[in-house]
Amino acid sequence: MHMSRHLVAGLTALTLTATVAIPAEAEQAGSGFPSSAFPLGVSVAPVKNQQNVAPGITLFSVKHGKSTQGWTVSALMPNGHDAGSLVTAQTVAQAVEAAGFIPEILKVVQPAAADAPSVERYMVRTGLWSFGQRAKADKVVKELKEFDVRAKTDYLGDDGTETTGPWDMRVLMVNPKVFRGSFKTSVGKSVAKRETTSSMSKLTGAIAGVNGGFFNIHTAKALQGDPVGVSVVGGRLLSEAVPGRSGLVITQGRKAHITELKTTVTAISSDGTKTEVNGINRAADADELVLYTEEFGGKTAADGGIEVVVDAAQDKVIKVRQAGGIVARGTYLLHGTGLMAVWLQEHAQGTWMKVDNKVIDLRTQQAIPLTPETYIMGGGVGLVRNGRVRITAAADGHASINMMLRRHPRTMVGIDKSGGLILATVDGRNPGVTVGASMVEAAQLMRWLGAKQAINFDGGGSSVMVVGHKAVNRPSDGAERTVGDGLFITP
C-alpha cells in the first residue's frame, strides 16, 4: 500500500519526572475532612459534598481541577513497554522516522521509593494535539502500524508529570467514637472464583466497602480469585503471605493497623514428622505441599499427586487419595506433588494430621492471634508510615514506571490518629473527566486526608467503592470488575 510521508510537529524535548512535593500536615483535629488545599494541581480547596451513610460513617465526593492537556502518540518498545533503554529508544525512533514522522526521545524518571532508587528510561513520541483532536493521533497510530511500528494514542494527563487534573474521588471516613460496627474482609462465596465487590458486600451484609488486594491473573481462570498475598477471614488463613509485603490487619473486629507480614504453615503428622506447607488454596507447583480449605470452592488439580483428606474438627485422617476433587465441608486437604506426594505417602497413613498456621507481624516479630474477629488483607503497597510518605514499592512488587509514575484509578485505605478508618478511591483512565493518581500522588492524597498509616490496594479497573451494595464511583472498565477480595464496614 502506497503512503505519503507525514511530518508531524515534534514535541519539545522534556524530561518526564514526578515532583515529590510532600504537603503540609492536614489541618484537622482527629477524624474529619481536611480544611487544607487539595495536595495535587492548583492549591485550592476542592469541591466536595458529603452524605451521612450511617452513624459515624461519612461519604465525601471530592472533585478538583480541570482538563488542560491533550494527546500524543507513543511508540512502544520491542517488549511492548512504553519505555526502555536509550539504545532501544534510539532504534525505535529510527523506525518512526523511517515511517515519515518526526520522533522525540524523552527521558522518563521513575521516582524513588522508600526501598527502590529512581530509574531512568526513555520513551519515543511523535506529535502533539489538543484534547478535541484525538482522531488525528489515532490516525498516526494506524499509519505507523503500516510500517510495523507498534504505537498507541497517549493522553498527557496519564504521564505522572505535572497536571491540572481533574480528579474525582470518593472518601469514606469512619469516626471510631461514634461508629459501633466492625470491619471485615471477604473473599466472597469462595477463594477460587472472582466476584464483584457489590456481590461480596451483599454476602457480608455490609454498609459500605472497597475492592481489596491484588489477585492472581496468572493462573487457571477458575482459580483467579486467589489473593496474591495473605488473606485471613474470620480468623481462618485462606491465602499465604508473600513474605515482607504490606497488609491491613483488623483485630477485635474494629482495631486496624498496617504492617509487613509473613506466614508460616506447618504440617505435623501423627508420627511426629513436620514439614513446611508451601501454599494455601492455589495451584501446586512441582514438589510442593498445598493446603486446601473448605473455602477453596474449586476442584483440586488431577496432577498425579497425592491428597490427604482430614476431618477439620478432629484432625483425623479420613483417607489418602489420588489428587483431584472437591474439598468437602468440614474437611481440609493436603495436596502433594512430586517429592511432597512421597512425603504424604510416607507420613500421612497414620490416624491424625495437624496444620499449624501462624501470621507474623514483622514489625513486632509477634504472631497475630487468629480469632474469629481477625481479618487480614495483603497484596497492597505501603504508602504512609507514621504520618510520612513511605512507599514500599520494591518489597510490595510494584517498583515499575507503570505503577509508580503513570496515573491510574486507585483504591487506598488509611488509619488516622484517632484510629478512624479512611477508605478512598480516585477514578482515572477517563481523559477530561478524571486522571487518577500515581503511586506518589496516592500517598500524598492519603496523607492529606489525615492518614497516619496508609496502604494501596488493587487499582485500575478493579477500583470500586460500594455503599448500600452499589458502586458510588465510576469503575474505569465501564462496569464493576470481578475481583479476589474486598474490605467492608459492617453494622
Side-chain angles (χ1 to χ4, degrees):
M1 174 182 175
H2 173 72
M3 288 188 68
S4 57
R5 283 172 66 80
H6 294 265
L7 290 176
V8 181
L11 286 165
T12 353
L14 66 111
T15 299
L16 298 187
T17 180
T19 49
V20 189
I22 305 303
E25 282 292 331
E27 299 159 22
Q28 63 195 110
S31 299
F33 199 85
S35 57
S36 51
F38 197 80
L40 311 178
V42 180
S43 187
V44 294
V47 174
K48 76 172 197 305
N49 61 48
Q50 69 186 74
Q51 175 191 340
N52 293 327
V53 174
I57 307 172
T58 311
L59 170 65
F60 297 91
S61 295
V62 185
K63 294 193 176 189
H64 179 72
K66 60 182 182 180
S67 174
T68 56
Q69 287 163 304
W71 305 91
T72 186
V73 168
S74 297
L76 300 178
M77 302 296 120
N79 61 5
H81 292 171
D82 293 10
S85 70
L86 180 58
V87 173
T88 306
Q90 285 168 336
T91 306
V92 171
Q94 286 169 357
V96 170
E97 195 167 15
F101 298 92
I102 299 172
E104 195 75 56
I105 295 176
L106 289 89
K107 183 165 79 171
V108 184
V109 181
Q110 173 188 316
D115 58 359
S118 63
V119 179
E120 288 184 4
R121 292 279 185 273
Y122 295 85
M123 292 180 81
V124 177
R125 284 180 159 171
T126 186
L128 195 57
W129 296 271
S130 68
F131 187 74
Q133 296 179 307
R134 177 173 181 162
K136 292 186 176 179
D138 290 343
K139 187 166 178 265
V140 170
V141 171
K142 282 183 184 166
E143 289 173 355
L144 284 167
K145 193 178 178 184
E146 298 282 342
F147 285 85
D148 294 325
V149 177
R150 284 196 300 160
K152 64 172 184 174
T153 302
D154 229 345
Y155 178 60
L156 292 170
D158 290 342
D159 273 349
T161 53
E162 283 190 31
T163 184
T164 55
W167 290 272
D168 190 359
M169 291 185 72
R170 301 291 175 275
V171 180
L172 276 166
M173 288 189 166
V174 182
N175 182 340
K177 290 176 183 161
V178 181
F179 175 63
R180 289 286 165 263
S182 58
F183 310 129
K184 290 177 182 170
T185 62
S186 174
V187 293
K189 294 188 183 80
S190 74
V191 177
K193 294 179 183 66
R194 286 163 53 181
E195 58 189 281
T196 61
T197 306
S198 56
S199 156
M200 291 184 221
S201 175
K202 281 179 194 159
L203 198 68
T204 317
I207 298 165
V210 290
N211 67 289
F214 296 84
F215 49 90
N216 189 2
I217 58 168
H218 304 295
T219 189
K221 199 170 179 189
L223 306 181
Q224 286 185 358
D226 173 37
V228 177
V230 65
S231 172
V232 173
V233 176
R236 289 176 62 80
L237 182 61
L238 303 181
S239 178
E240 76 276 13
V242 178
R245 287 198 181 170
S246 308
L248 175 74
V249 179
I250 297 154
T251 54
Q252 299 170 42
R254 50 183 289 143
K255 286 190 175 175
H257 71 278
I258 291 161
T259 188
E260 294 75 46
L261 299 158
K262 75 169 186 179
T263 47
T264 60
V265 185
T266 310
I268 308 158
S269 75
S270 52
D271 65 10
T273 315
K274 296 181 180 181
T275 193
E276 180 192 357
V277 175
N278 306 101
I280 306 173
N281 293 324
R282 65 160 172 82
D285 290 331
D287 301 319
E288 275 200 328
L289 187 61
V290 172
L291 168 67
Y292 292 98
T293 69
E294 65 175 60
E295 293 90 348
F296 175 58
K299 273 192 171 177
T300 63
D303 53 15
I306 293 291
E307 286 175 352
V308 176
V309 184
V310 182
D311 180 310
Q314 298 172 25
D315 295 322
K316 186 180 165 190
V317 174
I318 297 170
K319 64 176 169 184
V320 179
R321 71 185 191 194
Q322 287 295 305
I326 60 158
V327 189
R329 186 160 289 193
T331 72
Y332 64 82
L333 306 180
L334 282 166
H335 176 110
T337 60
L339 293 172
M340 294 319 296
V342 174
W343 186 89
L344 286 175
Q345 281 175 320
E346 288 176 358
H347 299 287
Q349 306 289 355
T351 52
W352 59 265
M353 176 69 76
K354 283 183 182 167
V355 175
D356 179 45
N357 294 329
K358 279 194 178 68
V359 182
I360 311 293
D361 180 331
L362 291 174
R363 292 189 192 177
T364 64
Q365 296 300 320
Q366 299 292 308
I368 296 163
L370 297 179
T371 76
E373 289 190 308
T374 303
Y375 294 84
I376 302 175
M377 182 175 279
V381 176
L383 296 175
V384 178
R385 181 170 177 176
N386 300 330
R388 296 178 181 276
V389 170
R390 184 177 165 79
I391 301 167
T392 51
D396 290 319
H398 291 280
S400 68
I401 281 174
N402 184 45
M403 289 303 289
M404 282 292 289
L405 183 65
R406 299 280 287 185
R407 292 191 178 98
H408 301 284
R410 303 271 178 193
T411 298
M412 300 90 74
V413 175
I415 300 147
D416 71 17
K417 65 183 175 189
S418 65
L421 204 63
I422 304 165
L423 276 55
T425 56
V426 54
D427 286 350
R429 298 181 186 167
N430 195 347
V433 178
T434 180
V435 293
S438 69
M439 200 71 83
V440 173
E441 290 168 339
Q444 291 170 339
L445 286 167
M446 290 311 287
R447 194 166 176 268
W448 171 68
L449 288 168
K452 296 298 174 192
Q453 315 289 329
I455 192 170
N456 178 81
F457 280 162
D458 191 9
S462 300
S463 265
V464 70
M465 179 180 285
V466 296
V467 175
H469 317 312
K470 289 196 175 111
V472 292
N473 68 321
R474 292 192 174 176
S476 65
D477 287 357
E480 250 192 281
R481 181 184 283 179
T482 54
V483 295
D485 56 4
L487 172 66
F488 300 99
I489 304 168
T490 59

